[in-house]
Amino acid sequence: MKRSIATVSLSGTLPEKLDAIAAAGFDGVEIFENDLLYYDGSPREVRQMCADLGLAISLFQPFRDFEGCRRDRLARNLDRAERKFDLMQELGTDLVLVCSNAAADSVGDRQILLDDLSLLAERAGARDLRIGYEALAWGRHVNTWQQVWDLVRHIDHPNLGVLLDSFHTLSLKGDPSAIAQIPGDKIFFVQMADAPILAMDVLEWSRHFRCFPGQGEFDLPGFLAPIIESGYTGPLSLEIFNDGFRAAPVRANAADGFRSLLYLEEKTRERLLQQAAPAPVLEPLFAPPKASDYDGIEFLEFAVDESQGAKLTHWLERLGFSKVGQHRSKNVSLLRQGDINLILNAEPYSFAHNFFEAHGPSLCATAIRVQDSASALARAVAYKGQPYRGLVGPNELELAAVRAPDGSLIYLVDKDAAGKPFYESDFNLNAASTPQAGLKRIDHMAMALPADSLDSWVLFYKSLLDFEADDEVVLPDPYGLVKSRALRSRCSSIRLPLNISENRNTAISHALSSYRGSGVHHIAFECDDLFAEVSRAKEAGVPLLDIPLNYYDDLAARFDFDDEFLSELAYYNVLYDRDANGGELFHVYTEPFEGRFFFELLQRKNGYAGYGAANVAVRLAAMAKSRSGAARQAKL
Amino acid sequence: MKRSIATVSLSGTLPEKLDAIAAAGFDGVEIFENDLLYYDGSPREVRQMCADLGLAISLFQPFRDFEGCRRDRLARNLDRAERKFDLMQELGTDLVLVCSNAAADSVGDRQILLDDLSLLAERAGARDLRIGYEALAWGRHVNTWQQVWDLVRHIDHPNLGVLLDSFHTLSLKGDPSAIAQIPGDKIFFVQMADAPILAMDVLEWSRHFRCFPGQGEFDLPGFLAPIIESGYTGPLSLEIFNDGFRAAPVRANAADGFRSLLYLEEKTRERLLQQAAPAPVLEPLFAPPKASDYDGIEFLEFAVDESQGAKLTHWLERLGFSKVGQHRSKNVSLLRQGDINLILNAEPYSFAHNFFEAHGPSLCATAIRVQDSASALARAVAYKGQPYRGLVGPNELELAAVRAPDGSLIYLVDKDAAGKPFYESDFNLNAASTPQAGLKRIDHMAMALPADSLDSWVLFYKSLLDFEADDEVVLPDPYGLVKSRALRSRCSSIRLPLNISENRNTAISHALSSYRGSGVHHIAFECDDLFAEVSRAKEAGVPLLDIPLNYYDDLAARFDFDDEFLSELAYYNVLYDRDANGGELFHVYTEPFEGRFFFELLQRKNGYAGYGAANVAVRLAAMAKSRSGAARQAKL
């Protein structure tokens, strides 16, 4: 399909926007009137700029408050339209968006609406221009696509057609399915916008909270599918009013927009396939290689130097890991426990080394187990992911990899080739070294991200890897709020809670400033007997995050625990949560390693599926206290 | 009255909050349960900390989902209550907030509610504790104060009383007037919160958008007046859930909270006076000296050094100002035009010099004309304003002054003493120098503020000076959004639009970073014939902000102007706005002085009262273009 975006969706001056739109791969652009008004160049210059960039001007917008206007204003409104038609002809676009009248003094009489729109269509037709008529959700008399189609069908003028915008229908919980019955050539234009579901005034919601498809909660494939069925062949265009987008880096955001349309097309294709739509209907939609099933995390790779590597090894050994291998040719070691493989990379002149130089000790790569790495990589590249090829020495397996949004790597490791063959080809394995403790697998990895990058991360994982995103949770830190949104692979073998904070002094903001960018916040290891693991860790000298006794007094008030059990929880600083279905979580946190990332040990019972959100506030408060203690010590 | 605040209203750890609450002058504190849970010390230690700070623990809160709970949970809920009663006794407080049950499975049967609350009152009474029962706006069955009072009256237990929270009543548009009929001693506690009027889910609104009295839009005097009439003598307490407050500097925010209660008391006193309430009823309420009437701005004082002073003088002379005086003993000069006096202060070892060192060339003082400077200063001090006394040399008048929130000074100049006497005592006036141009008075001064300080500024001007605040307007900059809220003296002789932006690259954020703090953004001068003034300014070489021609094409489409008039507007870069009543604004902007503040020349017609909000976006876009041009030139 042709892909387009409205200039209002992006930040910057008009030339900056157009550059970014062309670079992202769009075919066309909607010129939002204000972007033109504020630009210090003529419409003809804008036309030339677009032509030079290979962009069609697919639409000029908006033209407001026309049909059903107060009768004494009609002539003036027609003059206004002619002025804008002049401008469109200079711009070189033939289509204008006319949105339904929202003025309190407008009239809803059907015959007047028919007359006014006929008149406008006639005027446009005389100049070979076309009118796309759109229902605003807050239109005074016309606010559904059904009303628009009724008027357009009745007038039956070749220069008047329907303009559809997903937000205006889905925000009012409208049903798009019958759009399939509109003849495709009477749909002149389609705008796609997603949004979180918010209980608020619809105009405010529309003006400030729209987002790219896949970042919100609307069923957009359910909106687009009937449009495709109608035979519509025009562009799919993004019109996103979003306060954050108005300030976001324009190139990266335009690239996200393009990716979001690809994602929407894939999901719409899946929807149409379920409905057994014939192949020619599906043909225009983006069709990347199918996403993989996943089978958890094969290994995590940490960027360290010699000294930090030794410290981290010591930390991990106290957590029960054993060093089981040394790389054949590099300064890289392998630690293992249960199904968990951790690689510490201190090799100079490597990707990890560059990462260490930029961020200090940090997680620089995550290897996930896929069914077919070649296909997984092809999918990532089709979604404009950046593939990575590292140095490969003798005896080393080459791993397919793609860059995550923070610049770290995601290795795509073939499920069947995983485990033995990979480690044996790269490492000298020490069979004698058997881990003694009982941590079994990586449960989740939590990330700390800059506040404005959350949507971009969500879209990356949803599209390239076909992950799902849980709802956002808002949690109090003593110095502000933390927002968390968890991504997970279908079947949940990989879980990735993403955390942001708009406040300067929270745990998340401290992590960000320590990494000079986004980075891993903590890594959770699952086990079958938390008390055994935490007791072993405590004896080995792992510093555990201290939980206030008042927390346990409150547990006593909330749950029916005996005092002995509560004392044990308190002694080991174990946090507890129970879900509505009786699922239980026992979990404990370490102090951070070098003031950066930390570890969580956890045990899930009876299908507990969350992350202990009820305990995040007490954990953040304990972390704040620990930070201020560390800061005091550093001062002494 | 006793004044109190809930710990949840502030940022930080429990000890940080308590310190700030005591320093601000509060008598008591509500301990929010989570603040205790997350604190690493026993309830007894918290009790001692409060005692050492001279703070009463006025309330422990909240106890949730009790009355009408599922019958199989009642015994467990009573156990939970007893645990919390233990805790209260350790804390040394006798009052607990019980909020109405919000659980979906709770029951609303009146007899059950009566039974449950009686049982709880009985249990509390056995320990000499008291229950304050509060209606949550989203309570499942009980959500008004009338229902609460009905239950409390019927049970008639000495340990059960009404707890009132302004938000829960006013968010549902409830009527508080009949509260006056409740016996004052049956109201156990009063929480005051303001909020902006938002069309959104009431729970979300309550949890994230409350603010201090005077910062929002609720009629809080209308809520408090009947409470005072009831004979209530307990504390007035602030319970403010606000995302910004959770991250705000705790000391400054607590001080704002205290000031907001004083303001509320003054306004409630005025309300009760209007209702002819007897004097003893008014007695407990804060009664500062009455606010002044104002008569505009007497002068503005700029902090400069020799070189910047010469440049600014040259700038102002091109705008038609004349240097009419030189200070008798200081390096300070006076420029004048019409009713406008501008003082340029380059005196070393002065307040202005310190201000210049900190902020560069900037506005360091504003002198406003008041009826009685002594009384105005006393009022400011009663509201915890910081008075200022500067150096005074021979022949100099001493001016009363108070610090504005940005550290600049607000001089309070006696209306009758203003003008001649002041300038004659301080300056050698040059009678020969008569300004030639026609700027008449200072129309407004716009400020650029850090995003999180807007509420604090609003409260400062509302309380110390009794200014009014217009509604907030949101305006697009090419690189984000700008929010503007105008303050003005009653009768509008002084106007002060405040501007903030949460985005890094907007004009407002650039101004902030150039000032290293808040500062004046632009100063608007009013005249009777804008075209005459702008033509004179243009000839004199004043650099005017260039407005794109496309803006004038759009004016042509919107208004019935002839081409010649439009050309004149465009030639002089004059912007135009018209309000619904036919009021008209003509205005023009200069380029910024040294990349910092700039000037606006304007003419109001037919009672136009705004600031040209319709033209702010085109002005911000032109400023962005001008900045990037300046940046390009700086690079060459």
Side-chain angles (χ1 to χ4, degrees):
Chain A
M1 306 206 64
K2 295 280 185 197
R3 300 175 188 115
S4 165
I5 184 169
T7 52
V8 74
S9 314
L10 298 173
S11 174
T13 60
L14 187 56
E16 288 169 343
K17 294 180 185 202
L18 295 175
D19 272 346
I21 290 167
F26 287 95
D27 307 292
V29 60
E30 298 177 43
I31 300 286
F32 190 73
E33 179 167 34
N34 282 351
D35 280 305
L36 186 66
L37 290 192
Y38 306 157
Y39 175 61
D40 194 20
S42 71
R44 276 183 197 283
E45 287 169 285
V46 174
R47 174 188 202 151
Q48 189 59 48
M49 203 161 30
C50 290
D52 292 347
L53 290 165
L55 288 175
I57 298 184
S58 48
L59 180 79
F60 176 75
Q61 68 128 316
F63 190 74
R64 293 186 196 279
D65 296 338
F66 174 76
E67 87 289 8
C69 64
R70 253 175 43 193
R71 296 297 87 191
D72 58 337
R73 289 189 187 149
L74 182 61
R76 173 99 211 107
N77 264 338
L78 283 166
D79 284 355
R80 182 164 63 96
E82 294 284 358
R83 291 258 189 187
K84 298 302 173 187
F85 291 163
D86 293 346
L87 194 158
M88 287 168 63
Q89 289 182 315
E90 287 189 56
L91 271 180
T93 183
D94 75 337
L95 185 60
V96 60
L97 178 158
V98 173
C99 51
S100 60
N101 201 325
D105 62 1
S106 64
V107 298
D109 181 275
R110 184 160 184 269
Q111 194 53 53
I112 290 182
L113 299 181
L114 289 170
D115 291 349
D116 286 1
L117 289 167
S118 299
L119 205 51
L120 193 65
E122 201 53 42
R123 296 281 192 107
R127 291 168 168 237
D128 275 338
L129 301 177
R130 295 182 305 141
I131 307 292
Y133 182 47
E134 172 192 58
L136 292 178
W138 55 92
R140 181 77 180 81
H141 300 285
V142 173
N143 65 355
T144 67
W145 70 262
Q146 288 91 340
Q147 290 172 289
V148 162
W149 172 227
D150 167 62
L151 294 165
V152 166
R153 184 173 44 184
H154 194 88
I155 294 168
D156 192 25
H157 193 290
N159 296 72
L160 178 68
V162 173
L163 194 149
L164 297 167
D165 178 319
S166 57
F167 183 90
H168 293 302
T169 295
L170 300 180
S171 62
L172 300 183
K173 301 197 170 85
D175 179 1
S177 56
I179 291 174
Q181 268 79 67
I182 303 179
D185 61 358
K186 289 306 284 182
I187 302 176
F188 279 8
F189 204 75
V190 172
Q191 294 174 323
M192 300 300 305
D194 205 347
I197 303 292
L198 299 171
M200 67 185 296
D201 175 67
V202 68
L203 190 148
E204 288 295 305
W205 184 16
S206 176
R207 293 267 167 90
H208 300 285
F209 297 97
R210 292 180 175 215
C211 53
F212 289 138
Q215 294 175 336
E217 299 178 74
F218 283 160
D219 175 19
L220 292 185
F223 187 81
L224 183 52
I227 294 173
I228 300 298
E229 289 178 283
S230 80
Y232 172 72
T233 56
L236 279 193
S237 193
L238 298 164
E239 188 200 26
I240 316 294
F241 303 93
N242 178 297
D243 289 358
F245 289 9
R246 288 178 179 277
V250 61
R251 285 228 161 196
N253 207 40
D256 274 356
F258 191 79
R259 179 176 281 163
S260 79
L261 280 181
L262 299 182
Y263 178 71
L264 171 61
E265 290 180 34
E266 185 192 14
K267 292 292 153 188
T268 304
R269 192 185 165 88
E270 287 173 10
R271 187 71 61 96
L272 287 164
L273 271 170
Q274 282 167 15
Q275 299 170 14
V281 169
L282 306 180
E283 201 270 324
L285 297 168
F286 177 64
K290 198 168 168 304
S292 180
D293 284 339
Y294 301 97
D295 186 28
I297 291 173
E298 177 58 37
F299 66 83
L300 298 180
E301 182 175 348
F302 292 88
V304 290
D305 63 3
E306 288 273 358
S307 132
Q308 296 292 340
K311 280 189 195 170
L312 185 52
T313 300
H314 179 56
W315 249 86
L316 292 167
E317 284 173 345
R318 286 184 293 171
L319 275 173
F321 287 85
S322 291
K323 183 168 165 180
V324 298
Q326 180 64 38
H327 198 281
R328 294 181 194 280
S329 59
K330 296 181 186 169
N331 192 350
V332 175
S333 56
L334 169 65
L335 286 89
R336 182 174 287 168
Q337 179 174 188
D339 193 25
I340 312 161
N341 295 293
L342 304 179
I343 290 174
L344 273 51
N345 190 335
E347 176 74 4
Y349 311 110
S350 67
F351 170 83
H353 181 72
N354 296 341
F355 211 84
F356 179 82
E357 291 285 304
H359 301 290
S362 49
L363 184 78
C364 67
T366 305
I368 61 179
R369 285 188 285 258
V370 301
Q371 281 173 304
D372 174 354
S373 60
S375 163
L377 185 63
R379 177 183 170 89
V381 170
Y383 266 117
K384 312 263 177 186
Q386 195 187 330
Y388 179 84
R389 287 268 175 278
L391 288 173
V392 257
N395 297 324
E396 292 175 40
L397 223 62
E398 191 180 342
L399 298 178
V402 62
R403 291 262 195 182
D406 63 346
S408 71
L409 298 183
I410 301 171
Y411 287 114
L412 307 162
V413 182
D414 284 304
K415 218 186 276 194
D416 303 329
K420 289 264 148 125
F422 162 69
Y423 299 107
E424 281 177 2
S425 75
D426 283 22
F427 289 90
N428 287 314
L429 294 178
N430 175 1
S433 182
T434 316
Q436 295 303 315
L439 301 181
K440 306 203 101 169
R441 52 181 294 283
I442 294 166
D443 185 88
H444 63 269
M445 292 189 316
M447 305 291 297
L449 311 181
D452 52 7
S453 71
L454 179 62
D455 281 345
S456 185
W457 278 70
V458 167
L459 186 62
F460 175 91
Y461 276 93
K462 279 185 134 179
S463 59
L464 276 73
L465 300 177
D466 200 29
F467 276 28
E468 293 178 303
D470 293 347
D471 290 345
E472 187 177 271
V473 202
V474 180
L475 303 157
D477 182 287
Y479 299 103
L481 290 175
V482 167
K483 295 182 186 180
S484 183
R485 195 166 183 202
L487 293 164
R488 54 192 163 70
S489 62
R490 290 165 202 278
C491 305
S492 301
S493 73
I494 305 168
R495 303 181 200 229
L496 198 67
L498 306 178
N499 299 295
I500 61 167
S501 174
E502 279 154 17
N503 307 124
R504 219 170 17 192
N505 260 326
T506 59
I508 296 304
S509 300
H510 275 272
L512 286 177
S513 67
S514 111
Y515 282 113
R516 296 183 293 277
S518 37
V520 71
H521 189 238
H522 70 265
I523 298 166
F525 301 123
E526 193 183 14
C527 63
D528 290 341
D529 181 352
L530 184 69
F531 287 97
E533 294 313 312
V534 71
S535 134
R536 189 175 352 236
K538 203 173 159 92
E539 249 168 65
V542 173
L544 299 176
L545 188 69
D546 229 9
I547 303 301
L549 285 178
N550 295 328
Y551 168 81
Y552 297 97
D553 279 348
D554 185 54
L555 277 193
R558 286 162 57 211
F559 301 106
D560 231 349
F561 291 144
D562 64 39
D563 285 352
E564 196 186 339
F565 185 67
L566 278 168
S567 307
E568 201 183 2
L569 287 173
Y571 178 74
Y572 288 118
N573 290 296
V574 173
L575 299 163
Y576 175 79
D577 191 28
R578 191 188 294 172
D579 67 23
N581 307 316
E584 290 180 293
L585 177 70
F586 294 86
H587 56 147
V588 67
Y589 295 93
T590 72
E591 289 276 356
F593 170 75
E594 300 284 295
R596 298 169 73 87
F597 49 82
F598 55 99
F599 300 98
E600 177 181 4
L601 314 184
L602 64 79
Q603 180 183 357
R604 295 174 183 272
K605 282 189 180 177
N606 304 328
Y608 183 96
Y611 303 87
N615 296 324
V616 171
V618 68
R619 191 246 295 165
L620 291 170
M623 287 172 67
K625 176 154 186 290
S626 153
R627 278 202 308 278
S628 69
R632 249 196 321 277
Q633 274 211 318
K635 268 190 205 153
L636 293 179
Chain B
M1 306 206 63
K2 294 279 184 199
R3 301 177 187 113
S4 164
I5 185 170
T7 52
V8 73
S9 314
L10 298 172
S11 174
T13 60
L14 187 56
E16 288 168 343
K17 294 179 185 202
L18 295 176
D19 273 347
I21 289 167
F26 288 95
D27 308 292
V29 61
E30 298 177 44
I31 300 288
F32 190 72
E33 178 166 35
N34 283 351
D35 279 305
L36 186 66
L37 290 192
Y38 306 158
Y39 175 61
D40 195 20
S42 70
R44 275 182 198 283
E45 287 169 285
V46 174
R47 173 188 202 152
Q48 190 58 50
M49 204 162 24
C50 290
D52 292 346
L53 290 165
L55 288 175
I57 298 185
S58 48
L59 180 79
F60 175 74
Q61 67 129 315
F63 189 74
R64 294 186 195 279
D65 296 338
F66 174 76
E67 86 289 9
C69 64
R70 253 175 44 193
R71 296 297 88 191
D72 58 337
R73 289 188 188 151
L74 183 61
R76 172 100 211 107
N77 263 339
L78 283 167
D79 284 354
R80 182 163 64 96
E82 295 284 358
R83 292 256 188 188
K84 298 301 172 187
F85 291 163
D86 293 346
L87 195 158
M88 287 167 64
Q89 289 183 314
E90 286 189 57
L91 271 179
T93 184
D94 74 337
L95 184 60
V96 61
L97 179 159
V98 173
C99 52
S100 60
N101 200 325
D105 62 2
S106 63
V107 298
D109 181 275
R110 184 160 184 270
Q111 194 53 52
I112 290 181
L113 299 181
L114 289 169
D115 291 347
D116 287 1
L117 289 167
S118 298
L119 206 51
L120 193 65
E122 201 55 40
R123 295 279 192 109
R127 290 167 166 236
D128 275 338
L129 301 177
R130 295 182 306 142
I131 307 291
Y133 181 46
E134 172 192 60
L136 291 178
W138 54 93
R140 180 77 180 83
H141 300 285
V142 174
N143 66 354
T144 67
W145 71 262
Q146 288 90 341
Q147 289 172 289
V148 162
W149 171 229
D150 168 61
L151 294 166
V152 166
R153 183 174 44 185
H154 195 88
I155 294 168
D156 191 25
H157 192 290
N159 297 73
L160 178 68
V162 173
L163 194 148
L164 296 167
D165 179 319
S166 58
F167 183 91
H168 294 302
T169 295
L170 300 179
S171 63
L172 299 184
K173 303 197 169 88
D175 179 0
S177 56
I179 290 173
Q181 268 79 67
I182 303 178
D185 61 359
K186 289 306 284 182
I187 301 176
F188 279 8
F189 204 74
V190 172
Q191 294 174 323
M192 300 301 304
D194 205 346
I197 302 292
L198 298 171
M200 67 185 296
D201 175 68
V202 67
L203 191 148
E204 289 296 305
W205 184 16
S206 175
R207 293 267 167 91
H208 300 284
F209 297 97
R210 292 180 174 215
C211 54
F212 289 138
Q215 293 176 337
E217 300 177 73
F218 283 159
D219 175 18
L220 292 186
F223 186 81
L224 183 53
I227 293 172
I228 300 297
E229 291 178 282
S230 79
Y232 172 73
T233 57
L236 279 191
S237 193
L238 298 165
E239 188 200 25
I240 316 294
F241 302 93
N242 178 297
D243 289 358
F245 289 9
R246 288 179 179 276
V250 62
R251 286 226 162 197
N253 207 40
D256 274 356
F258 191 79
R259 178 176 283 164
S260 79
L261 279 182
L262 298 182
Y263 178 71
L264 171 61
E265 289 179 36
E266 184 192 15
K267 292 293 155 188
T268 305
R269 192 186 165 87
E270 288 174 10
R271 186 72 61 98
L272 287 164
L273 272 170
Q274 283 168 12
Q275 298 169 14
V281 169
L282 306 179
E283 200 270 324
L285 295 169
F286 177 64
K290 197 167 167 306
S292 180
D293 284 340
Y294 301 98
D295 185 28
I297 291 173
E298 177 58 37
F299 67 83
L300 299 179
E301 180 175 349
F302 292 87
V304 291
D305 62 4
E306 288 272 357
S307 132
Q308 295 292 340
K311 281 188 194 170
L312 184 53
T313 300
H314 180 56
W315 247 87
L316 291 167
E317 284 172 346
R318 287 184 292 171
L319 275 172
F321 286 86
S322 290
K323 184 169 164 180
V324 297
Q326 179 64 40
H327 198 280
R328 294 183 192 281
S329 60
K330 297 181 186 168
N331 193 350
V332 175
S333 56
L334 169 66
L335 285 90
R336 182 174 286 167
Q337 180 175 188
D339 193 24
I340 311 161
N341 293 293
L342 304 179
I343 289 175
L344 274 52
N345 190 336
E347 175 74 4
Y349 310 111
S350 67
F351 171 81
H353 181 72
N354 295 341
F355 211 83
F356 179 81
E357 290 286 303
H359 301 290
S362 49
L363 184 78
C364 68
T366 305
I368 62 179
R369 285 187 285 257
V370 300
Q371 282 174 303
D372 173 354
S373 60
S375 163
L377 185 62
R379 178 184 170 88
V381 170
Y383 266 117
K384 312 264 176 186
Q386 195 187 331
Y388 179 85
R389 286 269 175 277
L391 288 174
V392 256
N395 298 322
E396 292 175 40
L397 224 62
E398 192 180 344
L399 298 178
V402 62
R403 291 262 196 181
D406 64 346
S408 71
L409 298 183
I410 300 172
Y411 287 114
L412 306 162
V413 182
D414 285 303
K415 220 185 276 193
D416 303 329
K420 290 262 149 126
F422 161 70
Y423 300 107
E424 281 177 3
S425 75
D426 284 22
F427 289 90
N428 288 314
L429 293 177
N430 175 0
S433 183
T434 316
Q436 295 303 315
L439 302 182
K440 305 203 102 169
R441 53 181 294 282
I442 294 167
D443 185 90
H444 63 269
M445 292 189 317
M447 304 292 297
L449 312 181
D452 52 7
S453 71
L454 179 62
D455 281 344
S456 184
W457 279 70
V458 167
L459 186 62
F460 175 91
Y461 277 92
K462 280 184 132 178
S463 58
L464 276 73
L465 301 177
D466 200 30
F467 276 28
E468 293 179 301
D470 293 347
D471 289 345
E472 186 177 272
V473 202
V474 179
L475 303 158
D477 181 287
Y479 300 103
L481 290 175
V482 167
K483 295 182 186 180
S484 184
R485 195 164 183 204
L487 292 165
R488 53 192 165 70
S489 61
R490 291 166 202 277
C491 304
S492 301
S493 73
I494 305 168
R495 303 179 201 230
L496 199 67
L498 306 178
N499 300 294
I500 61 165
S501 174
E502 278 154 16
N503 307 124
R504 221 170 15 192
N505 259 327
T506 59
I508 296 304
S509 300
H510 275 271
L512 285 177
S513 67
S514 112
Y515 282 113
R516 296 184 293 277
S518 37
V520 71
H521 189 238
H522 71 265
I523 297 166
F525 301 122
E526 194 184 13
C527 62
D528 291 340
D529 181 351
L530 185 68
F531 287 98
E533 295 312 312
V534 72
S535 136
R536 191 179 346 240
K538 203 174 159 91
E539 249 168 66
V542 173
L544 299 175
L545 188 70
D546 229 9
I547 302 301
L549 286 177
N550 295 328
Y551 169 81
Y552 297 97
D553 280 349
D554 184 55
L555 278 192
R558 286 162 55 211
F559 301 106
D560 231 350
F561 290 143
D562 64 39
D563 286 351
E564 196 185 339
F565 185 66
L566 278 167
S567 305
E568 201 182 2
L569 287 173
Y571 178 75
Y572 289 117
N573 289 296
V574 172
L575 299 163
Y576 175 79
D577 190 29
R578 192 188 293 172
D579 67 23
N581 307 316
E584 289 180 295
L585 177 70
F586 294 86
H587 56 148
V588 67
Y589 294 92
T590 71
E591 289 276 355
F593 170 74
E594 299 283 294
R596 297 169 74 88
F597 48 82
F598 55 98
F599 300 98
E600 177 181 3
L601 314 183
L602 64 79
Q603 181 183 357
R604 295 173 184 272
K605 283 189 179 177
N606 304 328
Y608 183 96
Y611 302 87
N615 297 324
V616 171
V618 68
R619 191 247 294 166
L620 291 171
M623 286 173 67
K625 177 155 185 290
S626 153
R627 277 201 309 276
S628 69
R632 249 197 320 278
Q633 276 210 317
K635 269 189 203 153
L636 293 178

